[in-house]
Amino acid sequence: MSVKIGILYSRVRTDEKMLLTELRERGHEVEKIDVRDAQFAIDEAGSVFADLDLVVDRCLATSRSVYATQFCAAYGVPIVNAAETATICADKVKTSLALEAAGVPTPATTVAFTEESALDAVEAFGYPCVLKPVVGSWGRLMAKIDSRNAAEAIFEHKATLGHYEHKVFYVQEFVEKPGRDIRVVAADGEPIAAMTRSSDHWLTNAAKGAETDAFDVGEEVAELVAAASDAVGGGLLGIDLMETGSPHDAETASGDDSPASYTVHEVNHTAEFTALDEAVDVDVPAAVVDWLELKAEAADAADAHLEVTV
Amino acid sequence: MTTCSVCGAELTLHDDAEAGEILDCTTCGAELEVIETAPPVLERAPELEEDWGE
């Protein structure tokens, strides 16, 4: 079945290029929609959205992603990831609340709105602890706070220089991970592939130059990934976990009485998968397109059902 | 064949170049965005913004 897929983008990274190539090689029609050129009227969809079986949000900018997905939802245009997922994942506070509500282990987090209350939160966690921007990515503006002096300086800078969002102080426990974290790319909670990201630095983002290696997803990680995916509304996600127990614990822990072996610290709704594709044997863009085809077929079936029942 | 909009050096796009893709000028190092592919048009890429990224 050939489908017509719209790609919302503003920059074609390697990820988007691999997706475009895979879609075209399978004979699908692709409509590239540059969100810098697009306009989104509140009452009707622009002609660019006509006849699309599915839209894929690959916006580089979080703000554009959040709004564009909401417009597609309002227009009745099937979109992945869903607006709800984008809204939750774009905001670390909303993500933390969603994970906690779903019972997914996630680092202890406190949010404060003033420098003084943020300092109290830091002192309660003890040193080191971590300060993150509520909106941000690629490891930018993350701070590992080692002392009260550092905390005071960082808070003053954020309060003075930052966007209003930097006056929302997102303080998190520092997790002593074993020099690496784990990235799982999953489609509706089903892992496609996973890798570890290792670095001597406390930040282990691929964007920060961490070394990557394939990671075999075991039962416990698979369950956490499924739960984290459900918590944010599903979709194609990059789910980041840290190991909190020893490797032995991580392999053997199971059941409610066991200490948590992993903690989910981030869920990305426009997941980049280039580094993952290079680290694993799985053809990640092909697997993503397999899933997109299923989503397009499901959207088509739902549309046909509506036409019959209306 | 096209030219870098920053330094004027001649550049050749790959056959599979896409509008929206970012290239580095091999002469001056500037980040360039592919605006059109046929004929090729390049412009200086926008600066990184705070909310960019996965």
Side-chain angles (χ1 to χ4, degrees):
Chain A
M1 171 185 169
S2 174
V3 295
K4 186 174 181 183
I5 293 190
I7 304 283
L8 292 173
Y9 80 101
S10 58
R11 175 176 282 195
V12 175
R13 295 163 286 186
T14 307
D15 311 74
E16 284 74 45
K17 198 157 180 173
M18 289 194 292
L19 277 185
L20 290 167
T21 301
E22 187 71 28
L23 285 165
R24 288 170 180 150
E25 284 180 351
R26 296 192 190 191
H28 300 304
E29 191 177 346
V30 178
E31 177 78 37
K32 286 171 64 184
I33 305 170
D34 187 338
V35 291
R36 295 169 298 179
D37 299 331
Q39 296 179 353
F40 299 88
I42 60 168
D43 54 348
E44 62 177 349
S47 57
V48 72
F49 293 104
D51 303 325
L52 295 177
D53 295 298
L54 186 71
V55 174
V56 181
D57 168 33
R58 295 297 307 177
C59 290
L60 183 60
T62 304
S63 52
R64 293 169 183 168
S65 173
V66 167
Y67 290 123
T69 53
Q70 289 185 33
F71 275 106
C72 285
Y75 298 155
V77 178
I79 182 157
V80 292
N81 289 325
E84 177 198 5
T85 300
T87 299
I88 294 172
C89 294
D91 185 314
K92 288 188 175 62
V93 176
K94 291 176 182 173
T95 304
S96 293
L97 286 169
L99 293 174
E100 181 67 25
V104 177
T106 192
T109 302
T110 298
V111 171
F113 299 130
T114 66
E115 295 172 63
E116 294 75 19
S117 56
L119 191 58
D120 289 343
V122 166
E123 295 271 302
F125 273 116
Y127 301 99
C129 64
V130 176
L131 185 71
K132 298 179 177 180
V134 285
V135 175
S137 51
W138 292 342
R140 288 168 300 182
L141 298 179
M142 307 273 276
K144 180 183 174 190
I145 301 176
D146 292 315
S147 69
R148 183 183 177 96
N149 285 343
E152 289 173 344
I154 292 167
F155 292 152
E156 184 181 4
H157 279 82
K158 282 175 69 73
T160 303
L161 301 174
H163 185 270
Y164 75 89
E165 283 172 342
H166 293 299
K167 296 177 178 62
V168 179
F169 299 98
Y170 179 97
V171 183
Q172 198 164 67
E173 68 171 318
F174 179 75
V175 176
E176 289 282 0
K177 61 187 176 188
R180 68 180 198 176
D181 73 352
I182 298 161
R183 157 62 60 91
V184 183
V185 169
D188 284 334
E190 188 69 32
I192 290 174
M195 65 180 175
T196 56
R197 305 179 296 190
S198 304
S199 174
D200 293 335
H201 197 276
W202 73 279
L203 290 171
T204 50
N205 302 61
K208 292 279 188 187
E211 286 186 21
T212 56
D213 285 297
F215 177 81
D216 290 328
V217 175
E219 187 178 343
E220 185 179 357
V221 170
E223 287 175 1
L224 287 178
V225 164
S229 175
D230 286 347
V232 302
L236 180 69
L237 300 168
I239 297 170
D240 297 341
L241 307 92
M242 291 184 282
E243 293 145 295
T244 56
S246 68
H248 176 74
D249 291 338
E251 288 170 7
T252 58
S254 63
D256 294 339
D257 296 333
S258 300
S261 301
Y262 298 93
T263 187
V264 177
H265 59 286
E266 196 161 316
V267 183
N268 298 281
H269 71 287
T270 50
E272 295 164 352
F273 47 81
T274 300
L276 177 64
D277 190 59
E278 291 170 355
V280 301
D281 291 332
V282 177
D283 186 338
V284 177
V288 170
V289 172
D290 287 344
W291 177 75
L292 291 177
E293 289 172 341
L294 291 175
K295 299 298 280 189
E297 286 173 18
D300 187 54
D303 192 43
H305 178 70
L306 274 178
E307 285 177 8
V308 169
T309 55
V310 165
Chain B
M1 185 77 78
T2 184
T3 56
C4 171
S5 57
V6 177
C7 71
E10 290 192 341
L11 297 170
T12 303
L13 297 191
H14 292 291
D15 292 342
D16 64 349
E18 292 273 355
E21 194 174 342
I22 303 300
L23 307 172
D24 290 330
C25 174
T26 51
T27 302
C28 70
E31 279 200 330
L32 304 169
E33 178 179 349
V34 179
I35 304 299
E36 301 281 352
T37 55
V41 177
L42 301 176
E43 286 183 3
R44 188 162 199 164
E47 294 290 325
L48 176 71
E49 294 194 46
E50 200 172 307
D51 72 334
W52 283 14
E54 64 175 2

